[in-house]
């Protein structure tokens, strides 16, 4: 093929068909209508990036009808959205203390009661059954290893990493953690909104002055089994003590920089993290997921930059926290628009690929293998 005096190889043509910068050059030639359509598609570059790289939402509940829904059964809808949005992997988090959470008089999310022994564990097991049904009947793969992630991406089939938001169900029983591992959980967040025996959380009273000896045992058990440790929701002292115990990169899956101008005024201030807190996680080789609670995609990109300016692009991820709470993504169909906004906002393709999936993949490989 010849265009504007440039010989175009088969490989170049593939690249242009995926809408890269070479595609823009072709658009300046007297191309076919198909070529023009490619060049005119504003999402072509973003979609190509998602085809070429494994993309991972490092913390999600799968939207309003996802795993935290009280009523929705698993369906093919999540896989459909992932296909449509070209997103390869979701860290799909069940919330064991979900049934006892509610808003207090100050409109802050809290545990409304002390759960009776075994109650949160029973609910957690019920949610793992929900995942089994999603995987068994509705065309979503459950990834247990890096090899599974690569195979699912190569086959263009949506995959989940089973995640749990808060180990509040353990009740000092590490065998429950091992059971969760056997059921396929590969990312575990230590604390959430319910006081537990592991450590202090950001929105609760300080009762342990950080991580407890049992919390240290939990981290060591996660390392031994091969599970990513997520320190989201933990207080800064809890995180700093977790870093001292940990021998693997840590994930902090959903937050924003404390005082984020991009996010603006928010009731989530207590859940944001300081620059020092963020650097503590990054220094383990870890990554910090930025949630989707921003007024626009452009502001979300600014939020990613705020964190990247503090810790570097090797330590930032996408952790939307998509659930029934309003945010930018109630579903995954428009996911390429975020990637397009990142590229338009100044991230290189290589840096965008790290944030969109590569950084979590590094943590997963080091922790799970
Ligand atoms: Zn959370
Ligand atoms: Zn969440």
């Amino acid at each position: 093929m010849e265009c504007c005096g440039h010989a175009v190889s088969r490989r170049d043509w593939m690249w242009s068909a995926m809408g890269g910068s070479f595609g823009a050059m072709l658009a300046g030639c007297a191309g076919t209508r198909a070529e023009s359509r490619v060049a005119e598609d504003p999402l072509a570059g973003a979609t190509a990036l998602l085809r070429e790289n494994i993309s991972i939402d490092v913390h999600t509940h799968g939207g309003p009808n996802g795993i935290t829904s009280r009523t929705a059964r698993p369906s093919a809808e999540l896989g459909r959205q992932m296909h449509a949005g070209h997103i390869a992997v979701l860290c799909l988090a069940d919330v064991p203390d979900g049934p006892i959470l509610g808003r207090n008089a100050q409109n802050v999310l809290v545990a409304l009661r002390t759960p009776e022994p075994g109650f949160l564990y029973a609910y957690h097991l019920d949610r793992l059954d929900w995942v089994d049904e999603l995987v068994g009947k509705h065309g979503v793969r459950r990834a247990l290893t890096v090899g599974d992630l690569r195979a699912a991406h190569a086959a263009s089939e949506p995959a989940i990493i089973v995640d749990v938001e808060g180990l509040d169900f353990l009740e000092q029983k590490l065998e429950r953690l091992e059971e969760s591992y056997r059921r396929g959980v590969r990312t575990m967040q230590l604390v959430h909104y319910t006081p537990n025996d592991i450590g202090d959380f950001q929105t609760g009273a300080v009762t342990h002055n950080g991580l407890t000896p049992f919390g240290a045992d939990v981290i060591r058990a996660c390392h031994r089994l091969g599970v990513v440790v997520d320190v989201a929701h933990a207080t800064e002292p809890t995180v700093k003590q977790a870093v001292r115990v940990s021998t693997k990169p840590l994930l902090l899956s959903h937050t924003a920089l404390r005082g984020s101008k991009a996010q603006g005024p928010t009731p989530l201030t207590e859940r944001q993290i300081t620059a020092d807190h963020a650097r503590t996680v990054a220094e383990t080789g870890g990554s910090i997921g930025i949630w989707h609670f921003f007024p626009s995609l452009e502001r979300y990109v600014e939020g990613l930059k705020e964190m990247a300016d503090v810790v570097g692009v090797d330590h930032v991820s996408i952790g939307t926290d998509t659930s029934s709470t309003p945010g930018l993504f109630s579903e995954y169909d428009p996911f390429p628009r975020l990637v397009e906004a990142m590229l338009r906002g100044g991230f290189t393709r290589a840096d965008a690929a790290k944030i969109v999936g590569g950084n979590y993949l590094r943590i997963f490989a080091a922790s799970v293998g």
Side-chain angles (χ1 to χ4, degrees):
M1 177 183 170
E2 194 84 12
C3 177
C4 304
H6 300 280
V8 179
S9 71
R10 173 73 189 157
R11 189 162 171 214
D12 287 336
W13 170 244
M14 292 291 288
W15 166 233
S16 70
M18 292 188 290
S21 57
F22 197 82
M25 186 193 91
L26 275 176
C29 306
T32 65
R33 268 175 295 171
E35 287 164 355
S36 300
R37 271 203 306 276
V38 167
E40 286 164 9
D41 179 0
L43 296 179
T47 305
L49 187 145
L50 291 170
R51 286 207 183 97
E52 294 160 16
N53 298 277
I54 298 178
S55 50
I56 306 172
D57 186 342
V58 306
H59 183 84
T60 175
H61 307 290
N65 293 317
I67 192 168
T68 50
S69 168
R70 302 277 164 90
T71 54
R73 296 307 310 163
S75 75
E77 172 59 15
L78 192 60
R80 186 206 63 74
Q81 288 178 24
M82 292 176 71
H83 267 300
H86 301 278
I87 183 163
V89 182
L90 306 181
C91 291
L92 187 64
D94 101 64
V95 181
D97 65 346
I100 63 165
L101 298 183
R103 305 260 166 201
N104 66 11
Q106 290 75 43
N107 201 30
V108 175
L109 205 57
V110 294
L112 296 174
R113 63 185 173 85
T114 302
E116 53 271 30
F119 178 77
L120 301 187
Y121 186 48
Y123 180 66
H124 169 59
L125 293 178
D126 173 76
R127 294 294 86 185
L128 294 184
D129 291 344
W130 193 98
V131 170
D132 285 346
E133 190 176 330
L134 176 74
V135 170
K137 297 184 180 171
H138 301 293
V140 175
R141 294 191 189 189
R142 173 168 35 211
L144 302 177
T145 64
V146 172
D148 290 346
L149 293 173
R150 294 199 190 286
H153 183 242
S156 297
E157 291 197 4
I160 57 167
I161 293 167
V162 186
D163 188 358
V164 53
E165 179 155 27
L167 293 174
D168 304 308
F169 61 87
L170 289 185
E171 299 174 274
Q172 298 264 348
K173 295 180 174 65
L174 282 179
E175 59 269 27
R176 291 183 178 176
L177 191 151
E178 291 169 7
E179 171 70 6
S180 296
Y181 176 83
R182 280 196 295 276
R183 295 286 305 270
V185 179
R186 290 294 182 273
T187 291
M188 297 188 185
Q189 183 180 304
L190 301 175
V191 296
H192 195 220
Y193 286 108
T194 299
N196 69 19
D197 299 322
I198 295 171
D200 296 320
F201 56 101
Q202 290 172 300
T203 51
V206 171
T207 57
H208 303 300
N209 292 316
L211 189 76
T212 66
F214 177 67
D217 286 344
V218 167
I219 292 172
R220 285 188 278 264
C222 286
H223 289 352
R224 175 171 52 79
L225 290 166
V227 172
V228 173
V229 175
D230 184 352
V231 293
H233 284 259
T235 62
E236 192 165 339
T238 303
V239 172
K240 290 192 167 169
Q241 291 166 38
V243 167
R244 284 204 282 276
V245 171
S246 182
T247 56
K248 308 277 187 184
L250 294 175
L251 175 70
L252 197 164
S253 65
H254 57 299
T255 187
L257 193 63
R258 181 67 60 96
S260 165
K261 288 192 175 62
Q263 190 171 4
T266 171
L268 292 167
T269 303
E270 288 301 312
R271 283 278 297 105
Q272 296 175 331
I273 63 171
T274 66
D276 197 37
H277 189 150
R279 279 191 285 265
T280 301
V281 173
E283 284 165 7
T284 68
S287 193
I288 296 144
I290 304 300
W291 53 35
H292 70 148
F293 305 117
F294 289 87
S296 67
L297 282 176
E298 288 69 25
R299 294 273 288 272
Y300 190 178
V301 172
E302 290 303 312
L304 294 170
K305 285 184 189 170
E306 286 175 335
M307 191 59 79
D309 285 344
V310 171
V311 294
V313 293
D314 291 318
H315 305 285
V316 181
S317 297
I318 305 289
T320 62
D321 202 13
T322 297
S323 66
S324 55
T325 311
L328 289 173
F329 291 95
S330 61
E331 57 181 28
Y332 283 96
D333 296 55
F335 191 71
R337 290 177 51 210
L338 171 60
V339 178
E340 190 275 332
M342 290 171 70
L343 298 173
R344 185 162 33 86
F347 283 106
T348 66
R349 294 179 71 82
D351 288 348
K354 290 176 180 178
I355 292 170
V356 165
N359 292 335
Y360 179 87
L361 202 58
R362 177 187 67 237
I363 297 170
F364 192 81
S367 303
V368 178

PDB file of all heavy atoms in Angstrom, residues 215-230:
ATOM      1  N   GLY A 215      -3.570  -8.676  63.164  1.00  0.00           N
ATOM      2  CA  GLY A 215      -3.498  -8.062  61.834  1.00  0.00           C
ATOM      3  C   GLY A 215      -2.192  -8.413  61.131  1.00  0.00           C
ATOM      4  O   GLY A 215      -2.170  -8.681  59.918  1.00  0.00           O
ATOM      5  N   ALA A 216      -1.097  -8.421  61.896  1.00  0.00           N
ATOM      6  CA  ALA A 216       0.201  -8.809  61.313  1.00  0.00           C
ATOM      7  C   ALA A 216       0.159 -10.269  60.858  1.00  0.00           C
ATOM      8  O   ALA A 216       0.672 -10.612  59.791  1.00  0.00           O
ATOM      9  CB  ALA A 216       1.312  -8.597  62.344  1.00  0.00           C
ATOM     10  N   ASP A 217      -0.504 -11.125  61.662  1.00  0.00           N
ATOM     11  CA  ASP A 217      -0.650 -12.540  61.263  1.00  0.00           C
ATOM     12  C   ASP A 217      -1.466 -12.663  59.978  1.00  0.00           C
ATOM     13  O   ASP A 217      -1.183 -13.521  59.126  1.00  0.00           O
ATOM     14  CB  ASP A 217      -1.354 -13.338  62.370  1.00  0.00           C
ATOM     15  CG  ASP A 217      -0.451 -13.608  63.565  1.00  0.00           C
ATOM     16  OD1 ASP A 217       0.787 -13.457  63.418  1.00  0.00           O
ATOM     17  OD2 ASP A 217      -0.984 -13.952  64.637  1.00  0.00           O
ATOM     18  N   VAL A 218      -2.492 -11.806  59.844  1.00  0.00           N
ATOM     19  CA  VAL A 218      -3.334 -11.831  58.638  1.00  0.00           C
ATOM     20  C   VAL A 218      -2.496 -11.493  57.414  1.00  0.00           C
ATOM     21  O   VAL A 218      -2.588 -12.162  56.374  1.00  0.00           O
ATOM     22  CB  VAL A 218      -4.526 -10.853  58.786  1.00  0.00           C
ATOM     23  CG1 VAL A 218      -5.209 -10.620  57.442  1.00  0.00           C
ATOM     24  CG2 VAL A 218      -5.529 -11.384  59.813  1.00  0.00           C
ATOM     25  N   ILE A 219      -1.668 -10.456  57.523  1.00  0.00           N
ATOM     26  CA  ILE A 219      -0.817 -10.072  56.381  1.00  0.00           C
ATOM     27  C   ILE A 219       0.127 -11.215  56.018  1.00  0.00           C
ATOM     28  O   ILE A 219       0.293 -11.564  54.843  1.00  0.00           O
ATOM     29  CB  ILE A 219      -0.034  -8.778  56.706  1.00  0.00           C
ATOM     30  CG1 ILE A 219      -1.012  -7.601  56.789  1.00  0.00           C
ATOM     31  CG2 ILE A 219       1.050  -8.516  55.658  1.00  0.00           C
ATOM     32  CD1 ILE A 219      -0.392  -6.313  57.294  1.00  0.00           C
ATOM     33  N   ARG A 220       0.743 -11.811  57.038  1.00  0.00           N
ATOM     34  CA  ARG A 220       1.661 -12.931  56.761  1.00  0.00           C
ATOM     35  C   ARG A 220       0.914 -14.113  56.115  1.00  0.00           C
ATOM     36  O   ARG A 220       1.437 -14.773  55.218  1.00  0.00           O
ATOM     37  CB  ARG A 220       2.369 -13.358  58.043  1.00  0.00           C
ATOM     38  CG  ARG A 220       3.461 -12.374  58.473  1.00  0.00           C
ATOM     39  CD  ARG A 220       4.292 -12.917  59.640  1.00  0.00           C
ATOM     40  NE  ARG A 220       3.619 -12.704  60.902  1.00  0.00           N
ATOM     41  CZ  ARG A 220       3.856 -11.670  61.728  1.00  0.00           C
ATOM     42  NH1 ARG A 220       4.753 -10.764  61.410  1.00  0.00           N
ATOM     43  NH2 ARG A 220       3.189 -11.540  62.854  1.00  0.00           N
ATOM     44  N   ALA A 221      -0.322 -14.343  56.554  1.00  0.00           N
ATOM     45  CA  ALA A 221      -1.117 -15.432  55.961  1.00  0.00           C
ATOM     46  C   ALA A 221      -1.449 -15.124  54.497  1.00  0.00           C
ATOM     47  O   ALA A 221      -1.405 -16.014  53.640  1.00  0.00           O
ATOM     48  CB  ALA A 221      -2.394 -15.655  56.770  1.00  0.00           C
ATOM     49  N   CYS A 222      -1.768 -13.871  54.220  1.00  0.00           N
ATOM     50  CA  CYS A 222      -2.049 -13.482  52.823  1.00  0.00           C
ATOM     51  C   CYS A 222      -0.818 -13.723  51.956  1.00  0.00           C
ATOM     52  O   CYS A 222      -0.922 -14.250  50.836  1.00  0.00           O
ATOM     53  CB  CYS A 222      -2.467 -12.014  52.744  1.00  0.00           C
ATOM     54  SG  CYS A 222      -4.142 -11.686  53.334  1.00  0.00           S
ATOM     55  N   HIS A 223       0.344 -13.344  52.466  1.00  0.00           N
ATOM     56  CA  HIS A 223       1.587 -13.566  51.707  1.00  0.00           C
ATOM     57  C   HIS A 223       1.813 -15.062  51.474  1.00  0.00           C
ATOM     58  O   HIS A 223       2.202 -15.487  50.391  1.00  0.00           O
ATOM     59  CB  HIS A 223       2.784 -13.012  52.474  1.00  0.00           C
ATOM     60  CG  HIS A 223       2.849 -11.504  52.529  1.00  0.00           C
ATOM     61  ND1 HIS A 223       2.010 -10.678  51.818  1.00  0.00           N
ATOM     62  CD2 HIS A 223       3.676 -10.685  53.220  1.00  0.00           C
ATOM     63  CE1 HIS A 223       2.325  -9.424  52.063  1.00  0.00           C
ATOM     64  NE2 HIS A 223       3.323  -9.399  52.916  1.00  0.00           N
ATOM     65  N   ARG A 224       1.597 -15.836  52.535  1.00  0.00           N
ATOM     66  CA  ARG A 224       1.863 -17.280  52.450  1.00  0.00           C
ATOM     67  C   ARG A 224       0.926 -17.940  51.427  1.00  0.00           C
ATOM     68  O   ARG A 224       1.366 -18.777  50.619  1.00  0.00           O
ATOM     69  CB  ARG A 224       1.675 -17.909  53.839  1.00  0.00           C
ATOM     70  CG  ARG A 224       1.788 -19.417  53.893  1.00  0.00           C
ATOM     71  CD  ARG A 224       1.818 -19.930  55.337  1.00  0.00           C
ATOM     72  NE  ARG A 224       0.732 -19.431  56.161  1.00  0.00           N
ATOM     73  CZ  ARG A 224      -0.517 -19.898  56.151  1.00  0.00           C
ATOM     74  NH1 ARG A 224      -0.844 -20.884  55.326  1.00  0.00           N
ATOM     75  NH2 ARG A 224      -1.452 -19.390  56.939  1.00  0.00           N
ATOM     76  N   LEU A 225      -0.347 -17.521  51.455  1.00  0.00           N
ATOM     77  CA  LEU A 225      -1.321 -18.142  50.555  1.00  0.00           C
ATOM     78  C   LEU A 225      -1.144 -17.654  49.117  1.00  0.00           C
ATOM     79  O   LEU A 225      -1.353 -18.407  48.165  1.00  0.00           O
ATOM     80  CB  LEU A 225      -2.745 -17.812  51.030  1.00  0.00           C
ATOM     81  CG  LEU A 225      -3.180 -18.497  52.324  1.00  0.00           C
ATOM     82  CD1 LEU A 225      -4.442 -17.835  52.874  1.00  0.00           C
ATOM     83  CD2 LEU A 225      -3.422 -19.981  52.084  1.00  0.00           C
ATOM     84  N   GLY A 226      -0.813 -16.355  48.969  1.00  0.00           N
ATOM     85  CA  GLY A 226      -0.745 -15.752  47.643  1.00  0.00           C
ATOM     86  C   GLY A 226      -1.968 -14.899  47.370  1.00  0.00           C
ATOM     87  O   GLY A 226      -2.786 -15.197  46.486  1.00  0.00           O
ATOM     88  N   VAL A 227      -2.094 -13.835  48.172  1.00  0.00           N
ATOM     89  CA  VAL A 227      -3.242 -12.924  48.082  1.00  0.00           C
ATOM     90  C   VAL A 227      -2.716 -11.489  48.144  1.00  0.00           C
ATOM     91  O   VAL A 227      -1.830 -11.190  48.958  1.00  0.00           O
ATOM     92  CB  VAL A 227      -4.201 -13.160  49.276  1.00  0.00           C
ATOM     93  CG1 VAL A 227      -5.291 -12.101  49.321  1.00  0.00           C
ATOM     94  CG2 VAL A 227      -4.823 -14.557  49.211  1.00  0.00           C
ATOM     95  N   VAL A 228      -3.241 -10.609  47.307  1.00  0.00           N
ATOM     96  CA  VAL A 228      -2.889  -9.191  47.370  1.00  0.00           C
ATOM     97  C   VAL A 228      -3.490  -8.585  48.645  1.00  0.00           C
ATOM     98  O   VAL A 228      -4.663  -8.813  48.950  1.00  0.00           O
ATOM     99  CB  VAL A 228      -3.433  -8.435  46.135  1.00  0.00           C
ATOM    100  CG1 VAL A 228      -3.221  -6.919  46.276  1.00  0.00           C
ATOM    101  CG2 VAL A 228      -2.787  -8.949  44.854  1.00  0.00           C
ATOM    102  N   VAL A 229      -2.670  -7.827  49.399  1.00  0.00           N
ATOM    103  CA  VAL A 229      -3.153  -7.141  50.602  1.00  0.00           C
ATOM    104  C   VAL A 229      -3.522  -5.706  50.239  1.00  0.00           C
ATOM    105  O   VAL A 229      -2.693  -4.955  49.719  1.00  0.00           O
ATOM    106  CB  VAL A 229      -2.073  -7.143  51.707  1.00  0.00           C
ATOM    107  CG1 VAL A 229      -2.526  -6.330  52.916  1.00  0.00           C
ATOM    108  CG2 VAL A 229      -1.726  -8.575  52.116  1.00  0.00           C
ATOM    109  N   ASP A 230      -4.772  -5.343  50.539  1.00  0.00           N
ATOM    110  CA  ASP A 230      -5.302  -4.016  50.236  1.00  0.00           C
ATOM    111  C   ASP A 230      -5.471  -3.253  51.559  1.00  0.00           C
ATOM    112  O   ASP A 230      -6.196  -3.703  52.446  1.00  0.00           O
ATOM    113  CB  ASP A 230      -6.647  -4.182  49.511  1.00  0.00           C
ATOM    114  CG  ASP A 230      -7.259  -2.858  49.064  1.00  0.00           C
ATOM    115  OD1 ASP A 230      -6.743  -1.793  49.435  1.00  0.00           O
ATOM    116  OD2 ASP A 230      -8.287  -2.912  48.347  1.00  0.00           O
TER     117      ASP A 230
END
